[in-house]
């Protein structure tokens, strides 16, 4: 790429005020596969800087039109965005624009770590960390090319026994210190992952003779066949540790979501939260899920306490301040 041999070694001298961190010694291949986000979405600043290096006048004008947001530029940018064009696509399209490596280090962001919820309890799996990850893939409409997400595609390519770089971070989910306190969980799709770990911990505690509060799990998906770990969760129900409430939105004419199931079980939810010291957790997409669940919980509190909306909001606010209403969401 860029006229360099992929195996060529580089020495990087970090300058004060540099945009990105970079190892001081690495190969060209490592630079583009482990440091720079070559497959990330370019911003307008990238096009502006790239235009400075375009030797072809037609390409230079196209790049400048994107920056100026002219009618032609807006249409070109819209087409690139529609195709999910990344930095490599843009460099390929504008072949006469070849910034030196030192400029690319400033033009492109570095790869950011991807975070996934651990889907297993160390009490049940002490020597393993299990993840529940959905493969991100899509087809570029103009070329019909199949593409994979940066991290999930990388993981899919790994063979059993492969070693990869990873780190464990503290979660926003803090379980109650008293295991007898009820735990109420809501998750959609792979948002089920942390609740599997929580349930496994409660199951192992129960098997050790510890008195544990029942877990309530509200799980949502489009179809029943998308119910992850179904057999496992049904087994935990039989052990008396778990109470499942499922919502499969496309299985019937009227779409049913997790928030509907929470309202249906409102009396039990309110009892566990207000009278038994329960903890409520939400895991899912940040786009709409937390807000919908909050609205459902507000309705539950209004019905149980027979109070106006502002009082229900105060109840939920207090639960959040006490650490008993926790949201873990992603974009």
């Amino acid at each position: 790429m860029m006229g360099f041999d992929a195996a060529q070694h580089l020495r990087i001298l970090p300058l004060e005020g540099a945009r990105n961190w970079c190892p001081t010694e690495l190969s060209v291949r490592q630079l583009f596969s482990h440091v720079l986000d070559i497959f990330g979405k370019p911003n307008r600043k990238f096009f502006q800087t790239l235009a400075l290096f375009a030797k072809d006048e037609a390409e230079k004008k196209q790049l400048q039109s994107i920056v100026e947001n002219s009618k032609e530029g807006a249409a070109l940018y819209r087409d690139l965005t529609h195709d999910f064009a990344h930095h490599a696509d843009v460099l390929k399209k504008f072949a006469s624009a070849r910034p030196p490596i030192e400029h690319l280090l400033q033009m492109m962001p570095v790869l950011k770590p991807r975070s996934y919820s651990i889907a297993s309890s160390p009490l049940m799996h002490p020597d393993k960390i299990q993840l529940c990850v959905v493969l991100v893939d899509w087809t570029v409409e103009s070329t019909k090319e199949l593409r994979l997400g940066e991290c999930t595609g990388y993981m899919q390519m790994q063979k059993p026994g492969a070693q990869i770089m990873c780190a464990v971070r503290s979660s926003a989910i803090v379980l109650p210190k008293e295991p007898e306190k009820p735990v109420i969980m809501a998750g959609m799709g792979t948002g089920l992952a942390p609740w599997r770990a929580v349930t496994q911990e409660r199951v192992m505690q129960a098997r050790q003779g510890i008195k544990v509060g029942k877990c309530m799990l509200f799980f949502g998906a489009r179809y029943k066949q998308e119910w992850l770990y179904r057999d496992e969760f049904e087994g935990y129900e039989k052990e008396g540790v778990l109470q499942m409430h499922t919502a499969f939105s496309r299985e019937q004419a009227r779409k049913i979501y997790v928030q509907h199931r929470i309202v249906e079980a409102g009396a039990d939810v309110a009892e566990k939260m207000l009278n038994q010291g329960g903890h409520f957790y939400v895991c899912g997409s940040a786009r709409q899920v937390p807000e919908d669940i909050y609205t459902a919980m507000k309705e539950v509190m209004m019905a149980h306490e027979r109070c106006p909306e502002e009082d229900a909001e105060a109840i939920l606010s207090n639960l959040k301040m006490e650490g008993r209403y926790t949201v873990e969401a992603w974009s």
Side-chain angles (χ1 to χ4, degrees):
M1 173 173 272
M2 312 297 295
F4 282 84
D5 178 356
Q8 181 178 352
H9 283 272
L10 304 172
R11 291 181 62 86
I12 308 296
L13 176 63
L15 299 178
E16 186 177 350
R19 175 185 180 186
N20 295 324
W21 169 89
C22 184
T24 55
E25 293 190 17
L26 76 171
S27 68
V28 171
R29 184 187 307 278
Q30 289 172 325
L31 177 66
F32 287 105
S33 61
H34 291 82
V35 179
L36 295 180
D37 192 7
I38 186 70
F39 298 120
K41 180 181 178 181
N43 56 25
R44 291 186 184 273
K45 179 67 175 178
F46 178 82
F47 290 99
Q48 181 180 9
T49 308
L50 190 63
L52 300 175
F53 297 95
K55 293 182 173 60
D56 182 272
E57 283 302 317
E59 290 185 359
K60 182 184 287 287
K61 287 181 179 180
Q62 281 188 310
L63 288 166
Q64 289 173 338
S65 72
I66 292 175
V67 178
E68 295 165 359
N69 201 26
S70 66
K71 185 177 180 180
E72 176 192 357
L76 177 57
Y77 186 72
R78 186 168 56 249
D79 289 343
L80 291 169
T81 302
H82 183 71
D83 276 351
F84 298 96
H86 44 52
H87 294 102
D89 288 327
V90 174
L91 290 169
K92 183 177 180 180
K93 182 175 179 63
F94 300 98
S96 75
R98 286 293 176 262
I101 289 287
E102 58 267 26
H103 285 277
L104 283 175
L105 282 168
Q106 291 291 92
M107 292 168 63
M108 290 185 200
V110 296
L111 278 167
K112 296 180 177 61
R114 270 60 167 179
S115 298
Y116 301 98
S117 297
I118 295 175
S120 59
S121 167
L123 291 182
M124 186 171 287
H125 303 280
D127 59 345
K128 295 180 181 178
I129 289 179
Q130 299 178 352
L131 303 179
C132 178
V133 180
V134 62
L135 177 66
V136 178
D137 61 359
W138 68 95
T139 300
V140 177
E141 190 171 316
S142 62
T143 63
K144 305 305 178 186
E145 176 190 359
L146 176 65
R147 289 191 170 173
L148 303 177
E150 185 79 31
C151 189
T152 58
Y154 169 78
M155 288 192 288
Q156 186 194 42
M157 292 188 295
Q158 303 308 304
K159 297 179 180 179
Q163 294 185 352
I164 62 175
M165 293 180 62
C166 64
V168 177
R169 296 194 315 174
S170 298
S171 171
I173 300 167
V174 179
L175 292 178
K177 294 180 180 179
E178 305 89 346
E180 68 273 11
K181 299 294 185 184
V183 168
I184 304 173
M185 306 164 288
M188 281 58 68
T190 55
L192 188 64
W195 310 145
R196 178 176 181 251
V198 169
T199 307
Q200 284 182 351
E201 179 166 322
R202 283 294 175 91
V203 167
M204 291 303 294
Q205 290 174 328
R207 291 175 182 175
Q208 294 167 5
I210 299 173
K211 183 180 178 181
V212 298
K214 181 167 287 188
C215 295
M216 289 182 73
L217 174 56
F218 294 89
F219 172 66
R222 294 175 303 171
Y223 301 101
K224 188 174 292 185
Q225 66 192 43
E226 297 173 348
W227 184 354
L228 305 169
Y229 309 113
R230 177 178 178 178
D231 292 343
E232 183 177 333
F233 280 113
E234 288 180 339
Y236 297 153
E237 273 197 293
K238 292 177 181 178
E239 291 191 47
V241 177
L242 178 67
Q243 180 182 345
M244 285 289 306
H245 297 266
T246 56
F248 303 111
S249 60
R250 309 295 173 82
E251 291 283 352
Q252 59 286 309
R254 183 177 73 90
K255 291 183 179 180
I256 299 175
Y257 297 108
V258 163
Q259 57 264 33
H260 300 136
R261 297 302 190 205
I262 290 175
V263 173
E264 290 174 5
D268 197 7
V269 170
E271 169 65 23
K272 285 180 168 56
M273 291 301 297
L274 300 180
N275 299 327
Q276 298 178 23
H279 288 238
F280 187 86
Y281 304 93
V282 181
C283 186
S285 169
R287 283 174 291 183
Q288 193 65 34
V289 170
E291 182 179 344
D292 290 339
I293 299 298
Y294 178 82
T295 300
M297 286 295 288
K298 186 166 58 175
E299 185 175 340
V300 166
M301 297 303 165
M302 290 170 64
H304 186 270
E305 296 296 288
R306 297 180 181 178
C307 65
E309 182 177 350
E310 55 267 27
D311 289 352
E313 289 179 342
I315 292 172
L316 295 176
S317 179
N318 286 334
L319 290 174
K320 288 181 179 181
M321 287 189 292
E322 293 171 4
R324 294 201 293 125
Y325 189 116
T326 304
V327 176
E328 185 171 275
W330 61 84
S331 301

